[in-house]
Amino acid sequence: MPAYGNDPLTGEVARRFNALFERDVAVFLVSTGTAANGLAFAAACPPYGVIFVHAAAHAQVDECGAPEFFTGGAKLIALHGDNGKVAPGTLAEALAHFYDGFVHHAQPSVLSLTQSTESGTVYTCAEIDALAQVARARRIAVHMDGARFANALVHLGCSPAEATWKAGVDLMSFGATKNGCLAAEAVVFFHPECVRSFDFLRKRSGHLVSKHRVLSAQMLAYLDGDLWLRLASHANRMATQLSSALHGIAGVRLWYPVEANEVFVSFPGDVAWRLMAKGASFHPWQVPGDPAGGRMCRLVTSFNTHADDVDRFVELVRALCEP
Amino acid sequence: MPAYGNDPLTGEVARRFNALFERDVAVFLVSTGTAANGLAFAAACPPYGVIFVHAAAHAQVDECGAPEFFTGGAKLIALHGDNGKVAPGTLAEALAHFYDGFVHHAQPSVLSLTQSTESGTVYTCAEIDALAQVARARRIAVHMDGARFANALVHLGCSPAEATWKAGVDLMSFGATKNGCLAAEAVVFFHPECVRSFDFLRKRSGHLVSKHRVLSAQMLAYLDGDLWLRLASHANRMATQLSSALHGIAGVRLWYPVEANEVFVSFPGDVAWRLMAKGASFHPWQVPGDPAGGRMCRLVTSFNTHADDVDRFVELVRALCEP
Amino acid sequence: MPAYGNDPLTGEVARRFNALFERDVAVFLVSTGTAANGLAFAAACPPYGVIFVHAAAHAQVDECGAPEFFTGGAKLIALHGDNGKVAPGTLAEALAHFYDGFVHHAQPSVLSLTQSTESGTVYTCAEIDALAQVARARRIAVHMDGARFANALVHLGCSPAEATWKAGVDLMSFGATKNGCLAAEAVVFFHPECVRSFDFLRKRSGHLVSKHRVLSAQMLAYLDGDLWLRLASHANRMATQLSSALHGIAGVRLWYPVEANEVFVSFPGDVAWRLMAKGASFHPWQVPGDPAGGRMCRLVTSFNTHADDVDRFVELVRALCEP
Amino acid sequence: MPAYGNDPLTGEVARRFNALFERDVAVFLVSTGTAANGLAFAAACPPYGVIFVHAAAHAQVDECGAPEFFTGGAKLIALHGDNGKVAPGTLAEALAHFYDGFVHHAQPSVLSLTQSTESGTVYTCAEIDALAQVARARRIAVHMDGARFANALVHLGCSPAEATWKAGVDLMSFGATKNGCLAAEAVVFFHPECVRSFDFLRKRSGHLVSKHRVLSAQMLAYLDGDLWLRLASHANRMATQLSSALHGIAGVRLWYPVEANEVFVSFPGDVAWRLMAKGASFHPWQVPGDPAGGRMCRLVTSFNTHADDVDRFVELVRALCEP
C-alpha cells in the first residue's frame, strides 16, 4: 500500500468529504483534535495574528498552549459568553480593540467556534452566520472546532453544508475520535486559499502518519451508512434521558440547555464525591465565572452509553439526594 | 573599544546596578522595552508556560505578540482590575484554573506587573508584596514591567530595592527610554537562576548590540547624580499640575488617580478633536470595559514638558469647554 | 478505560520497557517517528542549541524541518561519513567550531545517531561508545534515532541495554511502525533529567493520543514473545538473500555493506525504470556526494517480504541485465 | 517628534534609498545586523523553508541560531566554496536534493550571499547574476547580507543598483554599523511582495525603536555626501596597504585575495601570540576545512584605521618574523 496518504482509501476519503459537504473541500487527517485545531490555526493565522475563542474553549483551556505552538506564537483572546457561546456583539467589541495594520497590535486573523460548545449547547446556523458576518467584516477566517460536530449536527437537523460553509465557516476540525473512532480527526478547508502550506505544516509537526490508511479506514467506516450520525443521535438521546431524569431530584441543579451529549449538573453536599466512590465516572468542571460555586460536574454520554446505565446512575443520585 | 559588552562602560553599568539595588543583580541592556519584556519572559517562562498580565498591559496590548514570539508560544492570560492594577484575589482565582502538572493545562510561570501601571497609577510596595505572595505559593516568577519605573519610584518615595526584590519581584524590565534615554532599557535579574540562557536568547533575537557602549553610556548618564529620578519627578509634577488644573473644568472628567506621569481624561463633545486640530498631541485611549464610552484620552507628561505648556493646554481646554 | 495514558495497558508498557532495558527508563508513546525525534530533541536541546546529525539522517533530510520546529529553532549541523555513519573524529572536528558559552555560537547540545543507518549499516556498540565519549567530553546528549532499531539489534546480537545506554546513549526514538506496528513509536529516556517537560511538549504538539491504549496495545503486541526481533530477523534475512543474489549480475552494483533490511544498488542503463514498469516497488535514492551518479536505488525488505518475492525480483533483474 | 518611524528623518531615509538604488524600494531600519538578517529571512522564508548560505556565513556561524529563531524554524543548509563564495554549480547541486512540493523535504526559499564575503573577497556582479539565475529557476529569493556592502561596492566600482537588484538580488541587509554608524542597519526590499508582514515581524521581535529618528539620523549622516563610500574606500585602502606590506615577510602567508577591508594571514611559530601580547588586536579565525592548520588570523581595517598604525603593525610583524 502506498504510504503517506497516497493510498486508495485516502483518495476515497477526499471524495466522501466532497459529497458530504456538497462542494469541493480539502481534507487532511490527523490523529488528535489538538493537532487538528493547531494545524488549522497555523494555516489560517500568521505568527502575529489573533485567534478569538470562547474563554472555555478547548483550544484555550485544555491544549497546553498548542495553538500558540503551532502558529509560532499567535495570541489567543478569550471571549466570555453565556452557555458556552460567543455573541456577535462580544466579538465585535473585542475586534474593536485591535486596529488593522496598526503595528503595535497583533492582527485579528481567526474566530474559532466550538460546536457543540464546551457547555453542551449548539450554535444555530443563524448564530453562526451572525458571527461569521462580524468576522467577514474584518476579513478574519471562521474556524469551527467540531470535536463534537456530529452531536451538534444531529441536534440541528440540517445538512453538514448548512451547518458550516453555508453559514460562513471557512475551515473546521471535524472530530471523530470522541464519537467512536480510535484516533482520527479531519481538518477540512472550505476554501482553498489556506491549503497551500498545510501539507508541510502537518509533516513538520509529525502528524503525517506513514501508514495513512489507518486513519482513512477509520474515517470511512465512521461515515459509512451515516454511522457517525447514528452514534451521535444515540449519545444525544442518552444525554436527554439523563437530564430529564435528573431534573427535579432534590438539590440537583442543571446548568445549561442539554442540546448535545453533555449534561452539566451540580449535586448537593458530598453527593458528587459519593457517586465517584461508587464507581461513577465524571469530572468536576470549572468554567469562567463559575456560577456553581465550584460544584459543577460534567456528565458525558457517548455512542457506548447504555440506557440502563443512565437509569442506574439516576437511581444512585436519587438515593443519595433523597434518602 | 571591545565590542558586545566587554567594554569598561558596560562593566560600570553592572556595578552601578548592584549599588542601586543594594545586592548583586544580573543586568543586560537592550534597546527597546518590547525586547526587554520579551527576553525577560523567555528567560522565566517555558514555551508551555502561562504569563499573567493585566488586560491593559503593554505586553498584552501593544507589543504585537512579542511575548508569545520570544517565549516560543507561551500563553498570556489577561486579568482585569481597577486602576490598571491586578488584585491578589484576581490572580489567585486565575491561578486556580490551572492545575500544576496537569498535562492539558499550560503551566503558570510568570506574573507580570506594570509599574507604573497603564492607568498612570502606582502599586504600593504592600500591594506588590501581596501579589508576590500569591505568586510564590504557586512558584511562579514575579516580573515587573518597569517601562515607567522611575515615575513609580518617585511617587512611592522608597528605595529601588524596596520597590522590587524586597517586595518579591524576581526580575524586571528597567525602562529608561521613556524617561530621557535615546534607546536603552535594562533587564535586571534579582536571582541568578534564570540568567544562564539569557545571553544566548538576547544574541539570537538580534538584541546584542555590537557597539554596546552606546547603550551603557546612556544608562550611566541616566543614573548619574540621580538624573533619572529628577527627570521623573519633573514629569510627575507636570502631571499633577495638569490634572489639578483640569479638575473642575465643565465637562472634563478625570478617570484614575494621578500618581505618575499620565493623566486620563475625557472631554465633552468634540473638544478632544478640536484640541488636536489646534496642535495638542495626545492619543485616544481604549481600555478593557471602557468606562468613558470611547472618549478617554491619555495625556502624558515627560522630562521635557514645560509648566508653561501645561498652562497653555489647560487654557485651551477651558476655552473650548467653557466658551 | 481511562484516557491519555492512565490505562493499564500503558502502565504495562512502562514495566515492559524497564525490563527490556534492564533499568528504570521513562517511556512515552507517539504515533510517528518524526514526532518521536522532534520531541526527543525538544526535551534535550534548548532553542539556541546545536544538534549534530549525519548528512543523510532522516531528521535532516526527510522531516521537513521538524527538529527545528519542535525545538523552537535549534540548528542542525550535518556531518558527512562513510556508510551512513558519523566518525568520532568528524564529530570532534565539528564540535571544535562551537565554543562553549561563546554567545555568538549556537551551543552544542545533542548528537543524534541513526541506528540502523540511512545506508542500511549498523553502528557497533564500540562505535557508539566512541562517539558517546566525544559527546560526553562536551556534555552533549546522545540521541539514537532507532526507527530501525530492531533490525540493528538483530544484526548486533547484543541486548537492548548494551546497544544503547551501556554504550552511552541518553535517549532514543524506539521505532515500531516500520517493523510491523500500525502507528506506534516510543521515546525512551535512560536518564530522568530531560523528562520533566516532556509531557507538556507532547501534549502541546498534539501528540498525546486520547485513547492512548491504541498505542500501548500495539507496542505490547510488538514486544510480546520477542515478536519485534523475529520480524526484524526475517526482514534482515530477506535483505541478505536479496543482496547475495544480486551480487554478480552484470552491471549491478551494490553500494554499502548489507547489515539490516536495506540494500542499496545501482542498475545499468534503464533497468531501474523497466523494473518499476513491471511492478517492482522501490525508490531512487540520493545521498550526499552521490557516488552512484544518480543511479542509486534503495531496496527495502520487511516483516512481510516473502523469499519467493525476492527470488522473482532477482530473476527479473537478471533477465533485464543479462538478456 | 512622532515616534516609531513617523518622523521626517525616517521619511527622508525612504527617499534617499529610492534615489540610491534608482528605483522604489521598501526600507526598514534596525539596530543590529543579526536582526536585519533574521527579519529579512522571516519575511522571505516560511517556517518550513530552506535558506542556503555559505558554510562560513555570519548567519550560519555567528548569530547563535537567529535565522532559525526569526523564521520559526527554517533550515539552513551550509554550502562550501573557495574564497568565501558559493559557486552556482554548488547551489544547483544542493537544490537538486530538495524536491519542490515533496512533503518530506523542507522547501528551498532563500539564497543568502554575503557581500563582501567572510573571506574578505567580493562577488562580481556577474557572479551574483549567475547565482541569481540558479535561484530564480527554483523561484527562491536572493538575499544579500551586506554587513560590509560599502566595502564591496567600492571594490566593484559600480552602482548600488548594479550590485544588487540589477544582478538579481531581491532583498538585502544593508550594513552601516561596521563602517561607522553607532548601531544602524537597513533591510531593503527591491520587490514589494515580501514586505506586507515586515512591520509586524519587526515590532514583535522588539526591533521597532520608539525614538526611531535615532536610527534615521545615523543613516542619513552615513549616506550624506557619500560619506559611507569614502569611509569604505579608506578601509579598503588600509587593507591593501597591509597585505602588500605583509607579502614577502618570511613565514607570513596570506590566504585570500584582499578585495575589501579584511586580510587573512597566518604567522609562523608564536608570532600571532606575541603580536597580541604587544597590543595588536585581531582574532584567530576558523574556517570550514581550515587550510591554515589552525593558524589563520583575521585582520580587519576600518574607517578609523590610520596608515601609520598599519606601518607600525607591519614593522612589528617583520621584527618578530625576521629577527
Side-chain angles (χ1 to χ4, degrees), chain C:
Chain C
M1 273 283 216
Y4 299 113
N6 298 312
D7 60 281
L9 290 183
T10 302
E12 178 61 19
V13 167
R15 284 186 293 277
R16 202 72 74 83
F17 270 80
N18 287 347
L20 186 68
F21 284 106
E22 304 170 44
R23 67 173 292 157
D24 277 2
V25 303
V27 57
F28 301 86
L29 301 185
V30 294
S31 48
T32 72
T34 296
N37 283 345
L39 286 166
F41 294 152
C45 183
Y48 52 82
V50 178
I51 301 166
F52 296 90
V53 294
H54 191 278
H58 198 265
Q60 168 72 352
V61 173
D62 286 312
E63 299 186 351
C64 196
E68 289 89 346
F69 174 61
F70 278 92
T71 55
K75 183 178 280 296
L76 268 71
I77 293 290
L79 306 177
H80 291 267
D82 292 344
N83 293 336
K85 297 182 184 178
V86 174
T90 305
L91 173 62
E93 209 271 333
L95 280 164
H97 282 73
F98 293 88
Y99 306 162
D100 277 343
F102 185 60
V103 73
H104 307 281
H105 286 175
Q107 297 290 294
S109 300
V110 176
L111 165 67
S112 179
L113 303 174
T114 309
Q115 180 76 314
S116 61
T117 75
E118 298 293 338
S119 296
T121 59
V122 176
Y123 284 101
T124 66
C125 296
E127 286 172 333
I128 296 169
D129 187 67
L131 284 160
Q133 286 186 33
V134 175
R136 212 152 28 233
R138 286 293 292 271
R139 291 174 304 284
I140 72 175
V142 179
H143 168 260
M144 178 175 281
D145 178 355
R148 302 179 188 278
F149 180 63
N151 303 286
L153 198 64
V154 160
H155 174 78
L156 291 173
C158 68
S159 73
E162 286 164 343
T164 56
W165 62 272
K166 289 187 175 174
V169 175
D170 296 300
L171 73 168
M172 79 178 294
S173 305
F174 180 98
T177 308
K178 287 183 188 297
N179 194 33
C181 285
L182 293 175
E185 309 278 315
V187 181
V188 182
F189 292 88
F190 298 113
H191 306 290
E193 59 267 25
C194 302
V195 175
R196 220 184 112 262
S197 62
F198 194 88
D199 265 327
F200 300 109
L201 299 176
R202 180 172 59 164
K203 170 65 191 179
R204 91 194 229 93
S205 62
H207 285 291
L208 178 57
V209 172
S210 61
K211 299 180 182 176
H212 191 276
R213 61 196 183 275
V214 172
L215 298 179
S216 300
Q218 292 179 62
M219 193 57 80
L220 292 175
Y222 183 66
L223 298 178
D224 263 355
D226 286 341
L227 174 62
W228 66 304
L229 298 177
R230 286 183 284 127
L231 294 173
S233 290
H234 173 77
N236 285 13
R237 262 197 315 276
M238 292 299 97
T240 304
Q241 175 185 333
L242 174 60
S243 66
S244 300
L246 289 174
H247 187 75
I249 295 181
V252 174
R253 179 157 175 192
L254 294 163
W255 286 99
Y256 305 113
V258 176
E259 298 174 346
N261 68 325
E262 295 174 297
V263 177
F264 294 85
V265 64
S266 53
F267 298 110
D270 63 352
V271 167
W273 181 256
R274 291 168 70 190
L275 285 165
M276 283 188 180
K278 285 177 184 293
S281 176
F282 56 88
H283 285 281
W285 200 247
Q286 60 174 5
V287 291
D290 189 11
R295 311 187 72 83
M296 199 181 292
C297 304
R298 183 179 73 154
L299 311 178
V300 181
T301 58
S302 81
F303 61 94
N304 64 359
T305 302
H306 290 280
D308 289 353
D309 294 338
V310 172
D311 289 342
R312 280 174 45 221
F313 178 79
V314 171
E315 282 320 300
L316 208 51
V317 173
R318 194 183 312 274
L320 290 168
C321 291
E322 302 175 343

Side-chain angles (χ1 to χ4, degrees), chain A residues 18 96 164 186 190 227 318:
Chain A
N18 287 348
T164 56
F190 298 113
L227 174 62
R318 193 184 312 276

